[in-house]
Amino acid sequence: MKPMLIDFIGGLLIRFTGRLGGAAQMAWAAFVWMFRARIEYRQAFAQCVKIGVNSLPVTMLTSCFTGMVLALQTGSTMKSIFNEPLFLGSIVSFALVKELSPVLTAYVIAGRAGAAMTAEIGTMAVTDQIDALYTLGTNPIRFLVIPRYIACLIMIPLLTVFADFCGVLGGFFVAAVRLDVASATFYDEIFTYMKVTDFMHGYIKSYLFAFAIATVCCFMGLTTKGGAEGVGKSTTAAVVVSMVMILMLDYFASALLIMVGI
């Protein structure tokens, strides 16, 4: 029984390290090709529209309602303990800017644009279109992967900023209408306690999340096998792995940024 268990765990570790090494090789190849070859700006712009512009309404709604719920729960708890919704502006803004907006935005992009990214590249892989690109002398990393890296690294931080504003506005609406907090008090608390480094804390993390989503989704797409069923499996795996990676990166990046004072 024990040798079988060891074989099973060993096999899992070998497959995991193999996939990790493959993803790292793809990311390095994309970095090298970005400086050696002409960038497909038209493809990059199209991906910016798909990943960023088309995801904007979902991101804004998600963040707005998160800010509303956060203000409602925090304000109600404060009222029950202190009889006043104290520091509501600072609590809502800190939670959104440093933590919730970057993570929720990355989740929205991974679930919506990341899945589409994997399905698109995966379909090309199982229908031999990627081999055809090689035959035509076009490197798939340059033509397919680099535009998606560029789009993710530009649009996800921008969407995070939009999410920050929408979340704070949602929190302000609930604070003013439901909890009778004066607008001047709400915004004074934000501008008194929040610093630029607090904003940068979440903004820097959004770049890490963008890199992780682009790497996972493109790699899963390029290594898709097994026809339509394989595309479905790769898409599901890409979303799940991306979300787990986002949470893991969130902890380690937060710990590092706090350690350096950001």
Side-chain angles (χ1 to χ4, degrees), residues 2-262:
K2 283 185 178 178
M4 288 179 64
L5 182 63
I6 292 170
D7 287 347
F8 176 72
I9 294 173
L12 279 180
L13 282 174
I14 289 171
R15 282 197 294 275
F16 173 73
T17 50
R19 301 283 285 176
L20 193 63
Q25 279 185 333
M26 187 206 70
W28 175 250
F31 178 77
V32 171
W33 273 95
M34 201 175 289
F35 294 100
R36 285 187 178 176
R38 182 173 59 87
I39 294 174
E40 296 286 343
Y41 288 108
R42 188 173 294 179
Q43 282 283 333
F45 180 76
Q47 291 301 320
C48 283
V49 173
K50 283 184 184 177
I51 294 169
V53 178
N54 294 347
S55 301
L56 185 60
V58 184
T59 305
M60 290 171 69
L61 276 174
T62 303
S63 186
C64 181
F65 280 100
T66 302
M68 292 171 73
V69 170
L70 190 60
L72 184 63
Q73 295 283 13
T74 307
S76 302
T77 305
M78 287 287 187
K79 265 192 168 182
S80 65
I81 297 173
F82 302 109
N83 206 28
E84 283 292 336
L86 300 172
F87 302 111
L88 199 55
S90 55
I91 291 172
V92 170
S93 57
F94 271 106
L96 284 165
V97 169
K98 296 185 80 169
E99 192 60 44
L100 292 175
S101 290
V103 172
L104 289 175
T105 302
Y107 261 49
V108 168
I109 299 300
R112 186 189 172 282
M117 205 185 301
T118 305
E120 192 176 357
I121 298 176
T123 304
M124 293 180 73
V126 298
T127 54
D128 298 329
Q129 292 181 57
I130 291 179
D131 291 337
L133 285 176
Y134 277 117
T135 307
L136 293 170
T138 303
N139 189 301
I141 299 292
R142 182 180 71 82
F143 189 71
L144 297 174
V145 176
I146 290 177
R148 286 164 174 82
Y149 265 108
I150 292 173
C152 283
L153 290 170
I154 291 175
M155 299 312 294
I156 291 178
L158 276 178
L159 287 172
T160 302
V161 175
F162 274 105
D164 289 340
F165 280 112
C166 291
V168 171
L169 282 176
F172 167 72
F173 177 77
V174 170
V177 174
R178 288 290 303 273
L179 302 167
D180 296 326
V181 176
S183 57
T185 305
F186 188 89
Y187 285 110
D188 278 347
E189 288 176 0
I190 295 175
F191 292 114
T192 301
Y193 297 108
M194 183 160 282
K195 299 173 184 173
V196 176
T197 52
D198 298 316
F199 170 77
M200 292 305 296
H201 183 98
Y203 192 67
I204 291 171
K205 287 197 295 187
S206 68
Y207 279 99
L208 296 176
F209 299 156
F211 181 79
I213 291 169
T215 302
V216 170
C217 294
C218 289
F219 179 72
M220 290 290 186
L222 287 173
T223 54
T224 299
K225 293 176 183 175
E229 187 181 354
V231 174
K233 286 180 180 175
S234 288
T235 304
T236 306
V239 174
V240 172
V241 173
S242 296
M243 289 182 171
V244 173
M245 286 283 292
I246 288 164
L247 290 180
M248 289 171 65
L249 279 174
D250 185 38
Y251 172 77
F252 289 111
S254 296
L256 182 65
L257 291 171
I258 289 170
M259 191 169 67
V260 298
I262 297 178

